[in-house]
Amino acid sequence: MTDTDRHGHAMSHTGQQALTHYENALGALLLFRGEVADESRAVLDASPHSVMGNVLAAYLGLLGTEEKDAAAAHDAFVRYQKSCPAGETARERMHLAAATAWFAGDLRRAGALLGEITVAYPRDVLALAAGHQIDFFTGDAARLRDRVGGALSAWPEGDPQYGQVLGMYAFGLEETGHYSRAQQTALAAVERDPRDVWGIHAVVHTYEMQGQFAEGIRYLDARTDDWAAGNYLNVHNWWHYCLYALEAGDTRRVLEIYDAVLHNDQSQGLAMELLDASALLWRLLLADHDAGPRWAALADAWAARRDTPYYAFNDVHAVMAYVGADRIADAERLVRDREAWL
């Protein structure tokens, strides 16, 4: 008898112990919690041939936009495909195809395949979450909204993860300009689970887009314990806090947060954090505020990564850092390298 996840989807070659870890991993993924990595490894420790366990590991290697993580995940995925036993379900084969397309660099094909899964299995949490992030990476605002909106009616409101799905939908609504509806939806999502940092992220986007900067600061201040630490999105939500402070004219507070959270001597040089650091200092530059030695330190951090062509969004922000630090030759070298690669 094949085990199923709690939404009734068959899980080939996945025993009960692995299934428990898989469900835990999905819960952590929706809340951007670091436990997702440990739980994902635990799935494969318990059931090395789990189709969805290997798919989950593949997606996690891709979602952080770190080339080295994607390369390691790709190698593991190829090894799995060479040794995996037969018997996967149609849903699982579609996931395998989506991961294969994503590793090949075809995000839009991967997103389309995940969309087909969502149409057929609207409560496949992994397909929904991974597809939502692909829509985010590719800037497809309409699909960011409609991928989740189309699945929402299949989710009973009593489902423990309904709130997180609602938070994803709220972000899609905001990105397509439905600010009032998005705000109502996002607030409802966070009301269901105060730790829903993606839902909080959707709320702060709606305040930003409506020029409600003081309201945004009050909202984040009231929920600091829920979003400011212990999740992968905390630095980005601090970046949003800085946007409010910058609009309010409080440059001192902006630089204080930058030094404490966005980039400092203890920063690990992750792309997701360097992106926010570059984007914030660039806004200060455009507003004629002096960032002092921060540009030089940030440019050094980007240079230390030695990134090869992988994700253009990262490259743009590296160029920002080089230009801000007056390292024009480094900026031009990076642009020439990517042009040659293309």
Side-chain angles (χ1 to χ4, degrees), residues 1-319:
M1 179 178 176
T2 302
D3 290 314
T4 61
D5 67 14
R6 67 181 193 81
H7 289 120
H9 305 119
M11 298 283 289
S12 300
H13 314 303
T14 309
Q16 275 300 314
Q17 183 181 357
L19 187 54
T20 297
H21 289 298
Y22 179 78
E23 295 288 6
N24 291 342
L26 293 187
L29 177 64
L30 291 176
L31 295 175
F32 289 76
R33 309 291 297 187
E35 299 92 312
V36 66
D38 292 337
E39 293 290 350
S40 175
R41 283 191 291 269
V43 175
L44 296 182
D45 287 343
S47 295
H49 294 297
S50 167
V51 180
M52 292 308 298
N54 281 279
V55 166
L56 171 63
Y59 291 158
L60 292 181
L62 290 158
L63 283 168
T65 74
E66 294 283 352
E67 184 181 13
K68 65 181 186 304
D69 293 343
H74 176 260
D75 291 345
F77 187 69
V78 170
R79 288 195 300 272
Y80 163 71
Q81 287 184 305
K82 289 178 179 178
S83 64
C84 63
E88 69 270 12
T89 67
R91 179 183 70 96
E92 291 169 333
R93 284 195 295 274
M94 293 172 76
H95 270 291
L96 292 170
T100 299
W102 197 344
F103 279 127
D106 194 346
L107 273 74
R108 297 189 188 281
R109 172 66 176 156
L113 286 165
L114 288 166
E116 291 178 20
I117 297 173
T118 296
V119 170
Y121 308 94
R123 288 194 287 167
D124 183 329
V125 175
L126 186 56
L128 206 53
H132 185 65
Q133 290 302 316
I134 285 178
D135 297 338
F136 180 49
F137 292 156
T138 57
D140 192 337
R143 189 170 295 217
L144 192 72
R145 175 195 64 204
D146 295 342
R147 178 189 301 271
V148 184
L152 199 58
S153 63
W155 282 77
E157 293 192 20
D159 190 294
Q161 291 169 333
Y162 178 79
Q164 283 89 59
V165 177
L166 206 59
M168 286 190 274
Y169 182 48
F171 187 59
L173 287 169
E174 181 277 325
E175 288 295 284
T176 47
H178 304 288
Y179 302 132
S180 178
R181 175 76 184 279
Q183 190 171 98
Q184 294 170 4
T185 305
L187 289 170
V190 179
E191 181 69 23
R192 286 176 172 270
D193 188 345
R195 301 174 305 152
D196 183 359
V197 292
W198 192 251
I200 289 172
H201 174 247
V203 174
V204 299
H205 261 263
T206 66
Y207 284 132
E208 170 72 22
M209 296 307 293
Q210 295 176 98
Q212 298 170 341
F213 311 121
E215 291 88 341
I217 289 174
R218 282 196 292 270
Y219 182 81
L220 288 175
D221 281 344
R223 290 160 182 80
T224 302
D225 291 343
D226 296 322
W227 65 267
N231 63 82
Y232 290 131
L233 210 64
N234 68 307
V235 171
H236 185 64
N237 277 332
W238 273 116
W239 175 81
H240 275 286
Y241 195 109
C242 287
L243 297 191
Y244 294 145
L246 185 60
E247 293 286 356
D250 193 352
T251 307
R252 181 196 61 79
R253 180 63 171 144
V254 172
L255 293 175
E256 181 182 79
I257 294 172
Y258 180 93
D259 293 337
V261 182
L262 268 69
H263 192 68
N264 53 51
D265 291 341
Q266 282 71 52
S267 296
Q268 298 178 24
L270 298 174
M272 287 179 64
E273 298 182 358
L274 295 181
L275 290 170
D276 287 329
S278 290
L280 185 61
L281 291 190
W282 192 259
R283 283 165 171 77
L284 288 168
L285 178 69
L286 295 178
D288 294 324
H289 294 300
D290 182 17
R294 296 174 182 84
W295 275 120
L298 183 60
D300 286 343
W302 276 110
R305 290 175 52 85
R306 296 180 175 85
D307 287 328
T308 56
Y310 180 61
Y311 186 47
F313 194 69
N314 292 355
D315 293 337
V316 170
H317 286 76
V319 168

